[in-house]
Amino acid sequence: MTSALRVLEHDLRFYRQTWRGTLTSTFVSPVLFLAALGLGLGTFVDQSGNNVIPGVSYAAFVGPALLMTQAMQAAIFECSYPLMGKFEWRKTFTGILATPVSVGGLFAGEVMWLSFRLAVGAIGFFVALLLFGLVFAPSGILAIPIAILTGLGFALPMFAFTATITKDEPFALIFRFIQIPLFLFSGAFFPISSLPPVLAAIAWLTPIANGIEIARAATLGTLDASALPHLAVILAWVVVGGIVALRQTTRRLVV
Amino acid sequence: MSFSSDAAPLVSARGLTKRFAGFTAVHGIDFDVARGEAFGFLGPNGAGKTSTMRMIGCVSPVTAGTLSVLGMDPARDGPLIRARIGVVPQTDILDDELSTLENLIVYGRYFDIPRGESRRRAVELLDFAQLTEKAGARVQTLSGGMKRRLTIARSLINQPELLLLDEPTTGLDPQARHLLWDRLYALKRRGATLVLTTHYMDEAEQLCDRLVIMDGGRIAAEGSPRELIEHHSTREVLELRFPEMAGEEQRDGHIDTVLADLGDRIEHLAERVILYTDDGEAASIAVHERGLRPESVLVRRSTLEDVFLRLTGRTLID
């Protein structure tokens, strides 16, 4: 546990040096997205009378979903090039394992770091939602932990994958062919029910579709027990992803 | 925890073996490193030096044989052992974005050294590494030699009893190497135990009290630099350079016949003939008397390099 905190401390020290560069993605892009999609596009949707949920503006529909897609993007990115650097380019992990820290402590510290990073982004976006008046119930605050969990649902499987590669080419493919389709077709902009049945079934297996469903209910104040199956899917990704990621990390570093 | 007396070796290996999928990097080697000693692993690339170091550093599990470090078992007490050793890896692992001073403080935290104490030691170590002026500089801006010194300073943050250095001066210019040797020698004088790998003979002669020459995962020879030269080479070496000649085989055969009784061993390189002898001067005179006319003649003392080349061969290893 102590060693995990030491690893986290190192990551935070590093973040203190580089956080300015992450400001745009954390605070500026949420505002841009909410303005363009919520207010801009939303005005047209609302005027057409085609609201997805009766009585709910398009901005209120899309706002919490964007919070979740941002968490997904941050998670996938953080476990791509930056993680590759720690494994391969800078050998940060090799340096850490020469100290009393063991691979379990190292991994736990990295999961804490990812959670912290996701929390910063989620809180930033949540503040933006508040400013746009898109949080309608106190339960809305739950969107933050849901964003962290959903993010980990992507970060940990991605961690497992990055632990197995030594070249960074696959990252561009993952961004293009996994992340962007998930961003577009996971119920953020239109309901999953309007997808062909096969695609809808696939969407419901991902953390992002389930996370969006819960976050939306939380900010609209309609959260109930129907969220539990969605939560279960997310947790399954986190747990299985975590187990595989730890195993691959050990396999990579302890040779 | 077992109690180890001063007489017990700090590192002890018997039949130490490391196998990776499909190949054996270390083939059952035996060695002991005594407290206060500077012990070297000398060998060409791929000899198994780094694999051995990683096992001693408790980051790579032992495949077979026994290994004890500081009287403990790496498989069971890895974190305890690592808390008391320092590691200088082959390539510098530093935080480029942080300052020189911060690099040391941050690393000290992994050893649970309180922040204030870590800072105090960091300042001291920068002085030791002659980097005080660079305390606030980002690592990115340091030269190769400075980075290497910083890596060594970092490995000392936990005041280790045993320091493992994997090719400490590879890739440095002569000035930087000499400064580094000077610092390592100072550490040795303070009683630190050094275990290092190198493929520089002069480095081994400068720093090591005792060394083993490794080749193909096995130990080919062991001893002090002087002992190794005495056992595996002659006192002196006579190098004769011949210009390119027609009929190389004929030439070699001829020279061999003429020189046969002048030394222990004759070696043929592209344009040089090397004669291992106890009296180079006498052999050189005899060469002339027997009618050979080399382009140039050099008499020198045997070095560790002669031992190394004899034991590990002249074939290029990539």
Side-chain angles (χ1 to χ4, degrees):
Chain A
M1 189 62 192
T2 344
S3 57
L5 290 174
R6 298 291 174 250
V7 176
L8 174 65
E9 188 181 324
H10 189 167
D11 281 320
L12 291 179
R13 172 88 60 142
F14 197 79
Y15 185 57
R16 213 171 68 183
Q17 222 71 26
T18 55
W19 65 276
R20 286 171 200 85
T22 65
L23 263 187
T24 323
S25 59
T26 312
F27 298 102
V28 179
S29 66
V31 172
L32 292 179
F33 265 98
L34 286 174
L37 293 171
L39 303 182
L41 181 63
T43 311
F44 283 100
V45 177
D46 294 342
Q47 281 170 357
S48 75
N50 282 330
N51 297 44
V52 183
I53 306 171
V56 172
S57 72
Y58 190 67
F61 176 79
V62 98
L66 288 172
L67 164 59
M68 306 310 283
T69 57
Q70 183 208 240
M72 171 180 77
Q73 282 162 0
I76 293 177
F77 179 77
E78 196 60 39
C79 290
S80 63
Y81 303 104
L83 185 62
M84 189 71 166
K86 293 172 178 176
F87 270 116
E88 187 71 21
W89 299 322
R90 297 156 157 266
K91 304 267 183 208
T92 315
F93 289 161
T94 308
I96 293 172
L97 291 182
T99 73
V101 176
S102 292
V103 71
L106 179 143
F107 183 71
E110 284 304 296
V111 174
M112 288 182 192
W113 155 247
L114 290 168
S115 308
F116 171 84
R117 187 72 193 78
L118 289 166
V120 170
I123 292 167
F125 209 116
F126 188 76
V127 170
L129 285 181
L130 284 174
L131 293 176
F132 278 81
L134 298 175
V135 181
F136 300 96
S139 63
I141 193 89
L142 291 174
I144 294 171
I146 293 299
I148 297 171
L149 278 179
T150 303
L152 289 177
F154 285 100
L156 294 172
M158 184 75 180
F159 201 119
F161 175 71
T162 300
T164 61
I165 58 172
T166 50
K167 296 214 162 61
D168 63 2
E169 281 92 352
F171 293 147
L173 300 177
I174 288 173
F175 298 150
R176 250 172 258 161
F177 296 110
I178 297 181
Q179 181 175 302
I180 292 181
L182 284 175
F183 174 67
L184 294 173
F185 300 105
S186 295
F189 307 105
F190 57 87
I192 289 178
S193 57
S194 37
L195 286 174
V198 180
L199 292 183
I202 294 173
W204 283 122
L205 290 176
T206 66
I208 185 67
N210 293 283
I212 288 173
E213 201 65 19
I214 305 176
R216 193 175 277 144
T219 55
L220 293 176
T222 58
L223 200 60
D224 56 29
S226 67
L228 290 176
H230 296 304
L231 186 62
V233 174
I234 299 171
L235 288 176
W237 279 95
V238 173
V239 171
V240 175
I243 291 168
V244 180
L246 175 57
R247 210 185 57 203
Q248 296 302 340
T249 303
T250 308
R251 209 173 269 181
R252 170 76 165 262
L253 297 173
V254 184
V255 288
Chain B
M1 207 196 302
S2 65
F3 180 79
S4 57
S5 76
D6 271 4
L10 229 52
V11 185
S12 179
R14 292 293 174 271
L16 184 62
T17 301
K18 181 72 199 184
R19 262 191 296 276
F20 296 106
F23 94 107
T24 305
V26 181
H27 262 283
I29 60 172
D30 300 345
F31 62 87
D32 290 306
V33 180
R35 190 177 288 273
E37 177 173 51
F39 185 88
F41 289 99
L42 196 60
N45 293 335
K49 305 183 302 275
T50 298
S51 295
T52 305
M53 290 293 259
R54 286 173 39 82
M55 288 191 280
I56 301 172
C58 307
V59 289
S60 174
V62 171
T63 311
T66 60
L67 176 66
S68 116
V69 183
L70 304 172
M72 291 181 277
D73 174 6
R76 211 188 48 227
D77 303 314
L80 283 174
I81 299 172
R82 292 198 300 268
R84 290 165 55 191
I85 64 178
V87 177
V88 176
Q90 216 170 89
T91 45
D92 297 323
I93 301 174
L94 296 164
D95 292 307
D96 280 346
E97 284 78 1
L98 302 183
S99 76
T100 304
L101 183 70
E102 271 184 316
N103 259 276
L104 297 180
I105 300 173
V106 166
Y107 205 65
R109 297 290 294 143
Y110 284 118
F111 294 89
D112 272 335
I113 303 166
R115 201 177 296 275
E117 172 66 10
S118 191
R119 187 181 189 82
R120 197 186 59 73
R121 288 189 197 179
V123 170
E124 249 177 51
L125 285 169
L126 283 185
D127 180 50
F128 172 76
Q130 304 183 359
L131 287 169
T132 303
E133 285 162 36
K134 295 282 177 184
R138 276 186 171 207
V139 168
Q140 269 163 341
T141 64
L142 301 185
S143 72
M146 289 175 179
K147 283 187 186 172
R148 206 65 187 140
R149 271 165 16 233
L150 181 59
T151 298
I152 290 177
R154 205 173 78 148
S155 74
L156 297 172
I157 195 85
N158 59 327
Q159 300 174 333
E161 294 161 59
L162 172 67
L163 190 61
L164 306 177
L165 302 123
D166 198 358
E167 297 189 8
T169 65
T170 298
L172 299 183
D173 61 34
Q175 286 81 359
R177 291 179 71 205
H178 280 270
L179 178 54
L180 214 66
W181 287 345
D182 172 58
R183 298 293 80 195
L184 292 176
Y185 201 78
L187 280 176
K188 203 183 131 187
R189 253 196 338 264
R190 293 184 194 175
T193 307
L194 308 182
V195 175
L196 60 109
T197 75
T198 183
H199 47 231
Y200 293 129
M201 306 309 126
D202 47 352
E203 183 158 286
E205 293 198 67
Q206 285 268 348
L207 292 174
C208 298
D209 301 314
R210 218 154 50 80
L211 54 94
V212 292
I213 295 182
M214 282 187 82
D215 193 27
R218 294 189 165 85
I219 290 179
E222 179 182 350
S224 69
R226 189 100 314 267
E227 285 166 358
L228 284 169
I229 292 167
E230 277 167 17
H231 285 142
H232 299 281
S233 191
T234 49
R235 211 170 70 83
E236 293 188 330
V237 176
L238 177 66
E239 292 194 15
L240 307 170
R241 184 176 292 276
F242 290 95
E244 276 182 81
M245 286 164 60
E248 200 173 295
E249 282 163 40
Q250 193 192 342
R251 178 199 75 176
D252 288 351
H254 175 62
I255 291 173
D256 275 358
T257 325
V258 174
L259 301 181
D261 61 321
L262 293 179
D264 285 9
R265 202 156 56 87
I266 299 172
E267 207 175 340
H268 296 275
L269 303 182
E271 293 194 355
R272 277 184 301 160
V273 172
I274 300 184
L275 180 72
Y276 295 88
T277 175
D278 283 325
D279 189 343
E281 209 52 53
S284 148
I285 293 165
V287 165
H288 269 267
E289 285 173 357
R290 293 178 192 188
L292 285 178
R293 293 290 173 265
E295 195 179 68
S296 69
V297 176
L298 172 73
V299 178
R300 58 171 176 81
R301 295 181 70 86
S302 257
T303 66
L304 210 45
E305 189 144 342
D306 298 308
V307 178
F308 184 85
L309 290 173
R310 169 152 197 201
L311 293 172
T312 64
R314 285 190 185 267
T315 320
L316 199 59
I317 300 159
D318 287 317

